[in-house]
Amino acid sequence: MPLSDAGTVHIIGAGLAGLAAAVRLSGSGRTVAIHEATAHAGGRCRSYHDQATGMLIDNGTHLVLSGNHAVMSFVRTIGSAAGLQGPGEAEYPFVDLADGAQWTLRFGDGRFPWWIFNKDRRVPQTGVVDYLSLARLAWTQSDKPIGEVMTCSGPIYERLLEPLLLAALNIAPRGGSAKLAGALIRETLALGGQACRPLLARAGLGHVFVEPAIAYLKARGVSIAMQDELVMLHFNGRRATQLDFAKHSVPLAENDIVILAVPPYVAESLMPNLTVPNSFRGIVNAHFRIDPPAQLPSMLGVINGACQWIFALPGRISVTISDAGHLFEMPRGELAQTLWREVAQVTGLRSDALPPWQLVRERRATFAATPEQNARRPAAETNWSNLLLAGDWTATGLPATLESAIRSGNSAADLVGLRLREAA
Ligand SMILES: Cc1cc2nc3c(=O)[nH]c(=O)nc-3n(C[C@H](O)[C@H](O)[C@H](O)COP(=O)(O)OP(=O)(O)OC[C@H]3O[C@@H](n4cnc5c(N)ncnc54)[C@H](O)[C@@H]3O)c2cc1C
């Protein structure tokens, strides 16, 4: 089939899954059109100018690990890899607010987790044998709650696995999916320090993930329609036949393909009989407008506090709390003050001098990473020959992260090529 007959690929949703699919398809000679419901791209990974603090802030500080190969490849392609910054080696400083203890996990720079055999690099109070639980989790066969696969207590759990898994799965790890935790461990911790370097978009998520992607796509002729919400899909037999947007309709030609890269609850409302994750967990981020003290590491893990991670960013200190449902009803001022007191305790800044602040509470930050919810994730392929799914919630085998979103977009884009070859 000549590419001029290859039809249009309509991508619904300009989150990272939709953008990744578009980046992979752009330049393929096919017409690609993105339709986004809101006025901005990026979805759950976005920056915005906050009037209360006068700062550019992220909806949530996003941590990427150097082993997230789809993320790394995405930013290299769109030309923004330099914006993801972190220490030269995989280092994770921690503080325990209960007793003031401080330690730094240093995973080294290798391709194998040699740090486990070095008592100066291991988690304090742990021995090599304690790390067998990591191996058990990494190669777990059936999906069970993590609490059924390993002991969720003791130094290795409390000082390594709990903070890392809570951040990556966005759920108290005990009830989290052992399979999802296992995938994460196999792709990062088990591959040594080279795969575990923590990377942050220090100048903002928009500068690294969104604006360069939009510029890349526009330069390759991809059309991006904002405030273009898909409200209904029409079907006939095994095909989707028409897209109804809020303000116009698009009949689908024979070779047109649709990639639905919207959140699960939207996909469920647009497609009949689709099983999707239907339970979610929230994330709270607090941003304080203040220059971080020089001694504050760019990322600090906090044990036994309301804060879980404290980030030192240009002109601000940010705090992240995963699985934060318990904080959603707390009055905003009280929560900001509580978090600031802990920041002050750690940094030596004055606890009674609350800087200008903003709180971002994302109720449905990710699907709940339990075995039950993981089993509800659909494949990219659907019952309709010209309709594909993408999103961090589809069956990527990973927790709901940027890596999962981008891989899902890549897979959907690869399936477009396959479908069109089959149709030729
Ligand atoms: C606070 C927070 C912190 C996070 N921290 C991390 C982290 O540290 N590391 C990490 O890897 N991941 C993190 N994540 C997860 C990461 O942000 C997501 O996995 C990723 O952004 C999901 O991308 P997506 O494209 O699958 O979905 P989304 O970003 O939800 O994109 C879906 C898009 O579809 C659009 N849409 C919805 N309905 C329609 C419609 N009817 N028509 C057209 N468009 C529509 C939406 O507006 C949105 O733009 C975090 C998420 C949050 C919320």
Side-chain angles (χ1 to χ4, degrees), residues 219-270:
R220 282 159 184 77
V222 172
S223 71
I224 306 173
M226 296 296 177
Q227 296 178 295
D228 201 19
E229 181 184 4
L230 182 69
V231 291
M232 189 184 279
L233 268 166
H234 294 260
F235 299 96
N236 189 2
R238 285 208 60 230
R239 288 181 50 76
T241 52
Q242 182 167 312
L243 302 171
D244 283 353
F245 294 94
K247 295 180 199 139
H248 64 116
S249 292
V250 178
L252 294 171
E254 193 185 339
N255 291 322
D256 289 355
I257 291 195
V258 179
I259 298 178
L260 204 52
V262 297
Y265 41 89
V266 178
E268 186 184 33
S269 73
L270 291 166

Side-chain angles (χ1 to χ4, degrees), residues 108-140:
D109 195 21
R111 289 180 183 276
F112 184 82
W114 293 114
W115 57 275
I116 290 175
F117 301 96
N118 179 339
K119 85 172 170 21
D120 297 328
R121 294 199 167 202
R122 282 198 296 268
V123 177
Q125 299 160 22
T126 63
V128 175
V129 83
D130 294 318
Y131 292 80
L132 287 176
S133 57
L134 277 179
R136 237 188 344 267
L137 204 50
W139 283 279
T140 186

Side-chain angles (χ1 to χ4, degrees), residues 107-192:
F107 298 149
D109 195 21
R111 289 180 183 276
F112 184 82
W114 293 114
W115 57 275
I116 290 175
F117 301 96
N118 179 339
K119 85 172 170 21
D120 297 328
R121 294 199 167 202
R122 282 198 296 268
V123 177
Q125 299 160 22
T126 63
V128 175
V129 83
D130 294 318
Y131 292 80
L132 287 176
S133 57
L134 277 179
R136 237 188 344 267
L137 204 50
W139 283 279
T140 186
Q141 290 304 313
S142 60
D143 204 359
K144 292 180 185 159
I146 292 170
E148 290 181 22
V149 177
M150 62 174 287
T151 310
C152 290
S153 60
I156 181 133
Y157 179 74
E158 282 151 19
R159 293 187 156 190
L160 173 71
L161 285 175
E162 188 175 31
L164 292 187
L165 291 179
L166 177 56
L169 299 182
N170 191 24
I171 192 166
R174 213 175 290 270
S177 152
K179 269 230 175 285
L180 293 178
L184 188 86
I185 291 169
R186 285 196 308 279
E187 296 201 5
T188 55
L189 290 177
L191 298 182

Side-chain angles (χ1 to χ4, degrees), residues 354-419:
L354 179 65
W357 56 272
Q358 185 55 276
L359 284 180
V360 187
R361 302 197 254 203
E362 291 263 12
R363 274 186 192 277
R364 292 192 284 197
T366 67
F367 74 84
T370 61
E372 297 74 31
Q373 292 294 312
N374 191 31
R376 295 176 65 89
R377 298 169 80 182
E381 294 186 274
T382 69
N383 292 335
W384 293 276
S385 59
N386 59 344
L387 179 59
L388 299 163
L389 296 175
D392 62 354
W393 53 275
T394 56
T396 61
L398 296 174
T401 52
L402 291 176
E403 180 71 8
S404 175
I406 291 174
R407 271 195 218 177
S408 77
N410 290 345
S411 304
D414 293 344
L415 283 167
V416 167
L418 202 67
R419 289 279 160 96

Side-chain angles (χ1 to χ4, degrees), residues 11-19 35-38 40-46 59-65 68 71 167-168 170 200 205 228-231 245 260-267 269-270 281-285 311 320 322 360-362 364-366 390-393 399-406 408:
I11 299 175
I12 316 298
L16 265 289
L19 292 175
H35 310 264
E36 162 59 43
T38 67
H40 52 80
R44 279 171 282 152
C45 171
R46 64 181 189 281
N59 67 317
T61 307
H62 280 51
L63 174 67
V64 168
L65 298 184
N68 292 159
V71 173
N170 191 24
L200 295 173
L205 295 169
D228 201 19
E229 181 184 4
L230 182 69
V231 291
F245 294 94
L260 204 52
V262 297
Y265 41 89
V266 178
S269 73
L270 291 166
R281 290 291 186 274
I283 297 180
V284 169
N285 272 262
F311 298 95
T320 295
S322 297
V360 187
R361 302 197 254 203
E362 291 263 12
R364 292 192 284 197
T366 67
D392 62 354
W393 53 275
T401 52
L402 291 176
E403 180 71 8
S404 175
I406 291 174
S408 77

